[in-house]
Amino acid sequence: MTDAPLLVSLPGNALRDALGAAPDGAEIVQWDMSGPAPAERIDLVVPPYMGAAGRLGALEGVTTRLVQSQSIGYDDVPAALPPGHVFANAASVHETSTAELALALILAAQRGIPDFVRAAGEGRWAPARHASLADRRVLLIGYGGVGRAIEARLAPFEVELTRVASRARSDEQGFIRGIDELPGLLPNADIVVIGVPLTAATTGLVDAAFLAALPDGALVVNIARGKVADTEAILAEAERGRLRFALDVTEPEPLPAGHPLFALPNVLISPHVGGASTAMMPRMARLLREQIERMLRGDAPLNVVYRS
């Protein structure tokens, strides 16, 4: 008699195709969590990428060893995950793509790319001198995996970088400021990049007082979560034309059609696509294969961030 295979549920074909043949000892089934579970016990469950929290209730009554998210953020998981499950996030999957987008938004906003695109759409040749990224004072708020990836990509652009984390500390690169120091740091920032996780402490972090402390013309880039920032405060500063914004995330999300932020020339909006690149599925498949192989060996899974 042989041991039962490690049962793994995947939400669709994209991840299954990227994974290829399952490791020996594992069996793959498809379950998008919109209906009953295919078995009472599923060793490893991968929820859908988008709207996953809304489907976690389907795990009620299902025995699992690991619920493997396809996202890094998990702020909505504690309220949605039934008791008795171990939850891992997708650290290592999205950091590079999110950092790429952050740099793209910064460069586009600094070098006037939206203006050039609008002019080209009107058939106009519209040369202009815009601000460089070189020599700008960049405040990077949030120093997890995404923050470190952004830092690495900023390095060749010769910026003056100040890193901010939840608490002050030092690493091999030097000193990291604590978030309690923001009132003294914001007035000197040309560019602020927001990459913090959404927690009770960071909800509403970017409020009217935060924005008022920034100098005229500063650029605020949010690639974190929409609820980290106060949309009305952003709109007020943007409508005045005092600050510029590049937002991959908003509150609410999606931003309603016709929202005034869409029409402002000093606001650049991307629709929460930080991790949505061709790098995602191969990297997600690599993480999933590692998790399966670790479970088959009896090793602890990677990236466990919550136990319900």
Side-chain angles (χ1 to χ4, degrees), residues 144-165:
V146 172
R148 289 189 292 272
I150 293 171
E151 176 189 28
R153 284 152 185 80
L154 280 171
F157 290 93
E158 302 175 26
V159 303
E160 181 184 324
L161 182 67
T162 299
R163 302 169 299 164
V164 179

PDB file of all heavy atoms in Angstrom, residues 144-165:
ATOM      1  N   GLY A 144      10.458  46.623   2.694  1.00  0.00           N
ATOM      2  CA  GLY A 144      10.365  45.175   2.573  1.00  0.00           C
ATOM      3  C   GLY A 144      10.961  44.742   1.244  1.00  0.00           C
ATOM      4  O   GLY A 144      11.818  45.426   0.669  1.00  0.00           O
ATOM      5  N   GLY A 145      10.483  43.617   0.725  1.00  0.00           N
ATOM      6  CA  GLY A 145      11.018  43.101  -0.530  1.00  0.00           C
ATOM      7  C   GLY A 145      10.836  44.060  -1.697  1.00  0.00           C
ATOM      8  O   GLY A 145      11.748  44.248  -2.512  1.00  0.00           O
ATOM      9  N   VAL A 146       9.663  44.677  -1.799  1.00  0.00           N
ATOM     10  CA  VAL A 146       9.417  45.622  -2.892  1.00  0.00           C
ATOM     11  C   VAL A 146      10.295  46.859  -2.725  1.00  0.00           C
ATOM     12  O   VAL A 146      10.890  47.353  -3.692  1.00  0.00           O
ATOM     13  CB  VAL A 146       7.929  46.008  -2.955  1.00  0.00           C
ATOM     14  CG1 VAL A 146       7.704  47.142  -3.958  1.00  0.00           C
ATOM     15  CG2 VAL A 146       7.080  44.799  -3.343  1.00  0.00           C
ATOM     16  N   GLY A 147      10.400  47.364  -1.497  1.00  0.00           N
ATOM     17  CA  GLY A 147      11.235  48.538  -1.254  1.00  0.00           C
ATOM     18  C   GLY A 147      12.683  48.291  -1.631  1.00  0.00           C
ATOM     19  O   GLY A 147      13.339  49.142  -2.250  1.00  0.00           O
ATOM     20  N   ARG A 148      13.192  47.122  -1.265  1.00  0.00           N
ATOM     21  CA  ARG A 148      14.579  46.807  -1.612  1.00  0.00           C
ATOM     22  C   ARG A 148      14.765  46.674  -3.119  1.00  0.00           C
ATOM     23  O   ARG A 148      15.800  47.079  -3.664  1.00  0.00           O
ATOM     24  CB  ARG A 148      15.018  45.528  -0.894  1.00  0.00           C
ATOM     25  CG  ARG A 148      15.199  45.727   0.610  1.00  0.00           C
ATOM     26  CD  ARG A 148      15.845  44.521   1.268  1.00  0.00           C
ATOM     27  NE  ARG A 148      14.965  43.357   1.256  1.00  0.00           N
ATOM     28  CZ  ARG A 148      14.079  43.095   2.208  1.00  0.00           C
ATOM     29  NH1 ARG A 148      13.930  43.927   3.227  1.00  0.00           N
ATOM     30  NH2 ARG A 148      13.326  42.013   2.143  1.00  0.00           N
ATOM     31  N   ALA A 149      13.761  46.125  -3.800  1.00  0.00           N
ATOM     32  CA  ALA A 149      13.845  46.005  -5.261  1.00  0.00           C
ATOM     33  C   ALA A 149      13.823  47.383  -5.918  1.00  0.00           C
ATOM     34  O   ALA A 149      14.531  47.625  -6.904  1.00  0.00           O
ATOM     35  CB  ALA A 149      12.699  45.142  -5.777  1.00  0.00           C
ATOM     36  N   ILE A 150      13.016  48.292  -5.389  1.00  0.00           N
ATOM     37  CA  ILE A 150      12.989  49.655  -5.918  1.00  0.00           C
ATOM     38  C   ILE A 150      14.327  50.338  -5.672  1.00  0.00           C
ATOM     39  O   ILE A 150      14.875  51.011  -6.569  1.00  0.00           O
ATOM     40  CB  ILE A 150      11.832  50.460  -5.291  1.00  0.00           C
ATOM     41  CG1 ILE A 150      10.483  49.896  -5.744  1.00  0.00           C
ATOM     42  CG2 ILE A 150      11.935  51.945  -5.669  1.00  0.00           C
ATOM     43  CD1 ILE A 150       9.300  50.475  -5.011  1.00  0.00           C
ATOM     44  N   GLU A 151      14.861  50.174  -4.472  1.00  0.00           N
ATOM     45  CA  GLU A 151      16.163  50.773  -4.156  1.00  0.00           C
ATOM     46  C   GLU A 151      17.228  50.333  -5.154  1.00  0.00           C
ATOM     47  O   GLU A 151      18.012  51.152  -5.654  1.00  0.00           O
ATOM     48  CB  GLU A 151      16.581  50.376  -2.746  1.00  0.00           C
ATOM     49  CG  GLU A 151      17.966  50.869  -2.354  1.00  0.00           C
ATOM     50  CD  GLU A 151      18.457  50.285  -1.051  1.00  0.00           C
ATOM     51  OE1 GLU A 151      18.038  49.162  -0.707  1.00  0.00           O
ATOM     52  OE2 GLU A 151      19.261  50.955  -0.381  1.00  0.00           O
ATOM     53  N   ALA A 152      17.270  49.033  -5.452  1.00  0.00           N
ATOM     54  CA  ALA A 152      18.280  48.517  -6.368  1.00  0.00           C
ATOM     55  C   ALA A 152      18.148  49.130  -7.761  1.00  0.00           C
ATOM     56  O   ALA A 152      19.150  49.401  -8.431  1.00  0.00           O
ATOM     57  CB  ALA A 152      18.163  46.992  -6.459  1.00  0.00           C
ATOM     58  N   ARG A 153      16.915  49.379  -8.184  1.00  0.00           N
ATOM     59  CA  ARG A 153      16.702  49.924  -9.522  1.00  0.00           C
ATOM     60  C   ARG A 153      16.892  51.441  -9.575  1.00  0.00           C
ATOM     61  O   ARG A 153      17.129  52.013 -10.642  1.00  0.00           O
ATOM     62  CB  ARG A 153      15.315  49.510 -10.022  1.00  0.00           C
ATOM     63  CG  ARG A 153      15.315  48.056 -10.449  1.00  0.00           C
ATOM     64  CD  ARG A 153      13.981  47.370 -10.309  1.00  0.00           C
ATOM     65  NE  ARG A 153      14.125  45.952 -10.641  1.00  0.00           N
ATOM     66  CZ  ARG A 153      14.611  45.020  -9.803  1.00  0.00           C
ATOM     67  NH1 ARG A 153      14.978  45.376  -8.581  1.00  0.00           N
ATOM     68  NH2 ARG A 153      14.730  43.771 -10.181  1.00  0.00           N
ATOM     69  N   LEU A 154      16.783  52.094  -8.429  1.00  0.00           N
ATOM     70  CA  LEU A 154      17.057  53.525  -8.374  1.00  0.00           C
ATOM     71  C   LEU A 154      18.550  53.831  -8.394  1.00  0.00           C
ATOM     72  O   LEU A 154      18.965  54.914  -8.809  1.00  0.00           O
ATOM     73  CB  LEU A 154      16.443  54.139  -7.113  1.00  0.00           C
ATOM     74  CG  LEU A 154      14.952  54.450  -7.131  1.00  0.00           C
ATOM     75  CD1 LEU A 154      14.490  54.838  -5.741  1.00  0.00           C
ATOM     76  CD2 LEU A 154      14.626  55.548  -8.129  1.00  0.00           C
ATOM     77  N   ALA A 155      19.352  52.879  -7.941  1.00  0.00           N
ATOM     78  CA  ALA A 155      20.782  53.131  -7.765  1.00  0.00           C
ATOM     79  C   ALA A 155      21.467  53.692  -9.012  1.00  0.00           C
ATOM     80  O   ALA A 155      22.239  54.658  -8.912  1.00  0.00           O
ATOM     81  CB  ALA A 155      21.482  51.856  -7.298  1.00  0.00           C
ATOM     82  N   PRO A 156      21.217  53.170 -10.221  1.00  0.00           N
ATOM     83  CA  PRO A 156      21.921  53.707 -11.391  1.00  0.00           C
ATOM     84  C   PRO A 156      21.481  55.119 -11.790  1.00  0.00           C
ATOM     85  O   PRO A 156      22.141  55.748 -12.624  1.00  0.00           O
ATOM     86  CB  PRO A 156      21.570  52.704 -12.503  1.00  0.00           C
ATOM     87  CG  PRO A 156      21.076  51.492 -11.817  1.00  0.00           C
ATOM     88  CD  PRO A 156      20.427  51.983 -10.565  1.00  0.00           C
ATOM     89  N   PHE A 157      20.391  55.605 -11.213  1.00  0.00           N
ATOM     90  CA  PHE A 157      19.869  56.911 -11.616  1.00  0.00           C
ATOM     91  C   PHE A 157      20.446  58.071 -10.796  1.00  0.00           C
ATOM     92  O   PHE A 157      20.038  59.214 -10.972  1.00  0.00           O
ATOM     93  CB  PHE A 157      18.339  56.904 -11.542  1.00  0.00           C
ATOM     94  CG  PHE A 157      17.708  56.056 -12.606  1.00  0.00           C
ATOM     95  CD1 PHE A 157      17.393  54.728 -12.361  1.00  0.00           C
ATOM     96  CD2 PHE A 157      17.455  56.574 -13.863  1.00  0.00           C
ATOM     97  CE1 PHE A 157      16.826  53.935 -13.339  1.00  0.00           C
ATOM     98  CE2 PHE A 157      16.889  55.789 -14.848  1.00  0.00           C
ATOM     99  CZ  PHE A 157      16.580  54.469 -14.595  1.00  0.00           C
ATOM    100  N   GLU A 158      21.366  57.763  -9.909  1.00  0.00           N
ATOM    101  CA  GLU A 158      22.119  58.789  -9.193  1.00  0.00           C
ATOM    102  C   GLU A 158      21.220  59.728  -8.384  1.00  0.00           C
ATOM    103  O   GLU A 158      21.333  60.947  -8.429  1.00  0.00           O
ATOM    104  CB  GLU A 158      23.000  59.585 -10.169  1.00  0.00           C
ATOM    105  CG  GLU A 158      23.966  58.697 -10.939  1.00  0.00           C
ATOM    106  CD  GLU A 158      24.762  59.454 -11.981  1.00  0.00           C
ATOM    107  OE1 GLU A 158      24.967  60.674 -11.821  1.00  0.00           O
ATOM    108  OE2 GLU A 158      25.185  58.809 -12.960  1.00  0.00           O
ATOM    109  N   VAL A 159      20.315  59.113  -7.617  1.00  0.00           N
ATOM    110  CA  VAL A 159      19.431  59.881  -6.755  1.00  0.00           C
ATOM    111  C   VAL A 159      20.026  59.961  -5.356  1.00  0.00           C
ATOM    112  O   VAL A 159      20.950  59.211  -4.998  1.00  0.00           O
ATOM    113  CB  VAL A 159      18.024  59.254  -6.675  1.00  0.00           C
ATOM    114  CG1 VAL A 159      17.407  59.125  -8.051  1.00  0.00           C
ATOM    115  CG2 VAL A 159      18.066  57.888  -5.973  1.00  0.00           C
ATOM    116  N   GLU A 160      19.492  60.855  -4.568  1.00  0.00           N
ATOM    117  CA  GLU A 160      19.823  60.922  -3.141  1.00  0.00           C
ATOM    118  C   GLU A 160      18.696  60.228  -2.390  1.00  0.00           C
ATOM    119  O   GLU A 160      17.610  60.777  -2.231  1.00  0.00           O
ATOM    120  CB  GLU A 160      19.954  62.378  -2.701  1.00  0.00           C
ATOM    121  CG  GLU A 160      20.322  62.561  -1.247  1.00  0.00           C
ATOM    122  CD  GLU A 160      20.357  64.020  -0.837  1.00  0.00           C
ATOM    123  OE1 GLU A 160      20.762  64.861  -1.666  1.00  0.00           O
ATOM    124  OE2 GLU A 160      19.960  64.325   0.305  1.00  0.00           O
ATOM    125  N   LEU A 161      18.946  59.000  -1.967  1.00  0.00           N
ATOM    126  CA  LEU A 161      17.888  58.143  -1.438  1.00  0.00           C
ATOM    127  C   LEU A 161      17.896  58.112   0.081  1.00  0.00           C
ATOM    128  O   LEU A 161      18.936  57.916   0.711  1.00  0.00           O
ATOM    129  CB  LEU A 161      18.056  56.719  -1.968  1.00  0.00           C
ATOM    130  CG  LEU A 161      16.989  55.700  -1.531  1.00  0.00           C
ATOM    131  CD1 LEU A 161      15.635  56.060  -2.131  1.00  0.00           C
ATOM    132  CD2 LEU A 161      17.399  54.286  -1.937  1.00  0.00           C
ATOM    133  N   THR A 162      16.687  58.300   0.654  1.00  0.00           N
ATOM    134  CA  THR A 162      16.485  58.108   2.087  1.00  0.00           C
ATOM    135  C   THR A 162      15.479  56.994   2.269  1.00  0.00           C
ATOM    136  O   THR A 162      14.365  57.057   1.737  1.00  0.00           O
ATOM    137  CB  THR A 162      15.964  59.389   2.762  1.00  0.00           C
ATOM    138  OG1 THR A 162      16.924  60.435   2.583  1.00  0.00           O
ATOM    139  CG2 THR A 162      15.743  59.164   4.250  1.00  0.00           C
ATOM    140  N   ARG A 163      15.854  55.965   3.011  1.00  0.00           N
ATOM    141  CA  ARG A 163      14.983  54.812   3.232  1.00  0.00           C
ATOM    142  C   ARG A 163      14.275  54.951   4.574  1.00  0.00           C
ATOM    143  O   ARG A 163      14.881  55.369   5.560  1.00  0.00           O
ATOM    144  CB  ARG A 163      15.812  53.531   3.199  1.00  0.00           C
ATOM    145  CG  ARG A 163      16.574  53.344   1.887  1.00  0.00           C
ATOM    146  CD  ARG A 163      17.577  52.214   1.981  1.00  0.00           C
ATOM    147  NE  ARG A 163      18.582  52.447   3.000  1.00  0.00           N
ATOM    148  CZ  ARG A 163      19.381  51.499   3.493  1.00  0.00           C
ATOM    149  NH1 ARG A 163      19.273  50.262   3.081  1.00  0.00           N
ATOM    150  NH2 ARG A 163      20.278  51.798   4.416  1.00  0.00           N
ATOM    151  N   VAL A 164      12.993  54.563   4.580  1.00  0.00           N
ATOM    152  CA  VAL A 164      12.183  54.667   5.797  1.00  0.00           C
ATOM    153  C   VAL A 164      11.483  53.334   6.032  1.00  0.00           C
ATOM    154  O   VAL A 164      10.863  52.782   5.119  1.00  0.00           O
ATOM    155  CB  VAL A 164      11.137  55.794   5.677  1.00  0.00           C
ATOM    156  CG1 VAL A 164      10.280  55.869   6.940  1.00  0.00           C
ATOM    157  CG2 VAL A 164      11.812  57.140   5.409  1.00  0.00           C
ATOM    158  N   ALA A 165      11.581  52.836   7.247  1.00  0.00           N
ATOM    159  CA  ALA A 165      10.910  51.593   7.622  1.00  0.00           C
ATOM    160  C   ALA A 165      10.100  51.829   8.893  1.00  0.00           C
ATOM    161  O   ALA A 165      10.054  52.936   9.429  1.00  0.00           O
ATOM    162  CB  ALA A 165      11.932  50.480   7.825  1.00  0.00           C
TER     163      ALA A 165
END
